Amino acid sequence: MKKFMNAVDTVLTESLDGFVAAHADILVLGEEHKFVRRKTLRPGKVALISGGGSGHEPLHGGFVGHGMLDAACPGQVFTSPTPDQMLAAAQAVDTGAGCLFIVKNYEGDVMNFDMAAEMSDGVLQVVTNDDVAVENSSYTTGRRGVAGTLVVEKIVGAAAEHGLVLKPLKALGERVNAATRSMGVALTSGTVPAAGKPTFDIGDGEMEFGVGIHGEPGRRRDALKSADAIAEEICAAILGDLGDRAKGPALLFVNGFGGTPLMELYLMYNSARRILEKHGVTVTRSLVGSYVTSLDMAGCSITLTMLDDEMTGWWDAPVHTAALRWGM
């Protein structure tokens, strides 16, 4: 294992120190590294809080700022943050309008965010479960929440910035989640620093189809195929799951898992867009890059969100975070 680090035990805290120092104009680090929050809070605005295991950067801390999250709670690598982290974050950013937790559907995340919500007043939750690859995995009961979580955070974050109140924001988040489907494929494994070796073994001529963002097994191990063939199968799974809703305007998001060059991600975007548009999807918004990663894993996921005018407007709204910036 070759990684830039001083010690396994300090990887996360030292990374958070550097992250907040690099973006000190918009971010503040919470006490004991429990959370990252917006530097400037808006009184009377619903606070959006998310979080999860580290190793998926820039998710979630990279999406803290104007137009997205108010705080993010980082757990250890691939490990859920604890309820006291969410409680501390909520207390730090709630300016009187309540909090909305945005939670990926993993057992640890759901359990710990539930506990924090039960110990708080004025907290509602949206659980994301956009992965169509498998119904259950080693981390979940039900579908996994993966790259589509970014889409929920962006659209709901814009609406919160505009002044929507808590219950309509929850309803909007659930509507975006219901309109979003994702699926991924891995070419190599990621390496967790504490483990010191790849999470799973995969041959040079193989791919893990439907892999999760922690390296969980997907639908099957298969021989490596062409980009067009991979995109065809992923798009077929997404379109089949959406059914009759898979017509009209959509956001196409091709996400890298951390070890895939942008050249390859744009190639995959090109393949997926051609396939989707043949099936009646009109790609009106796009995002390409490594935003929901799995450490140094090579691979990518494809996310499709069917858009209406309201969702498109919120997607286009200004955002200023470490990882997403436009319109400002």
Side-chain angles (χ1 to χ4, degrees):
M1 179 181 71
K2 293 181 180 180
K3 290 188 179 292
F4 292 110
M5 62 182 187
N6 295 310
V8 168
D9 293 344
T10 61
V11 167
L12 176 56
T13 55
E14 291 182 69
S15 177
L16 287 170
D17 287 339
F19 172 63
V20 172
H23 300 285
D25 56 325
I26 60 172
L27 299 177
V28 172
L29 184 61
E31 186 179 354
E32 299 177 355
H33 296 81
K34 287 182 178 180
F35 59 88
V36 174
R37 72 162 176 87
R38 290 171 65 160
K39 185 174 185 178
T40 303
L41 300 175
R42 279 190 53 196
K45 171 191 170 297
V46 173
L48 267 57
I49 301 171
S50 192
S54 297
H56 304 305
E57 290 78 11
L59 191 80
H60 293 274
F63 306 134
V64 173
H66 179 91
M68 287 192 78
L69 300 175
D70 293 275
C73 303
Q76 293 296 320
V77 174
F78 294 175
T79 303
S80 173
T82 58
D84 70 295
Q85 289 181 256
M86 293 78 148
L87 285 170
Q91 291 166 2
V93 299
D94 186 352
T95 62
C99 298
L100 182 67
F101 290 167
I102 300 176
V103 188
K104 299 188 304 302
N105 188 34
Y106 293 93
E107 287 184 348
D109 289 10
V110 170
M111 178 180 67
N112 289 350
F113 273 98
D114 278 349
M115 290 175 63
E118 289 170 2
M119 292 184 282
S120 306
D121 294 322
V123 173
L124 296 178
Q125 300 187 70
V126 172
V127 177
T128 62
N129 60 351
D130 51 300
D131 191 357
V132 303
V134 292
E135 285 298 328
N136 294 287
S137 77
S138 52
Y139 283 73
T140 64
T141 300
R143 291 183 171 181
R144 303 175 289 213
V146 288
T149 308
L150 177 157
V151 183
V152 174
E153 291 176 353
K154 171 63 184 80
I155 291 175
V156 176
E161 204 74 51
H162 191 72
L164 256 67
V165 296
L166 189 55
K167 287 185 178 180
L169 284 173
K170 173 180 168 64
L172 175 62
E174 290 172 345
R175 184 155 61 89
V176 176
N177 179 66
T180 301
R181 299 290 188 276
S182 302
M183 189 167 175
V185 60
L187 307 183
T188 70
S189 172
T191 300
V192 176
K197 60 181 181 180
T199 302
F200 59 89
D201 295 321
I202 186 167
D204 289 342
E206 294 181 318
M207 62 180 185
E208 183 73 29
F209 197 79
V211 70
I213 59 172
H214 304 94
E216 314 98 298
R219 289 189 169 187
R220 68 180 188 279
R221 182 71 56 87
D222 204 347
L224 182 63
K225 293 180 169 60
S226 69
D228 281 347
I230 294 169
E232 183 74 54
E233 187 163 351
I234 292 176
C235 289
I238 289 171
L239 293 171
D241 201 86
L242 284 168
D244 293 340
R245 289 179 292 177
K247 301 289 181 185
L251 162 69
L252 174 57
F253 170 27
V254 174
N255 171 66
F257 286 150
T260 304
L262 266 174
M263 179 177 70
E264 295 175 34
L265 297 180
Y266 278 113
L267 188 153
M268 286 297 295
Y269 171 87
N270 185 55
S271 294
R273 181 168 184 150
R274 284 189 287 102
I275 292 162
L276 292 169
E277 293 195 331
K278 286 179 183 177
H279 288 83
V281 174
T282 304
V283 177
T284 58
R285 297 294 184 273
S286 303
L287 185 66
V288 179
S290 294
Y291 293 102
V292 182
T293 64
S294 185
L295 295 168
D296 52 344
M297 180 188 288
C300 74
S301 60
I302 296 173
T303 296
L304 188 69
T305 300
M306 305 312 300
L307 297 172
D308 56 29
D309 289 343
E310 181 189 13
M311 289 160 58
T312 300
W314 295 134
W315 178 262
D316 290 345
V319 59
H320 187 89
T321 69
L324 280 186
R325 298 187 181 193
W326 60 70
M328 309 238 351

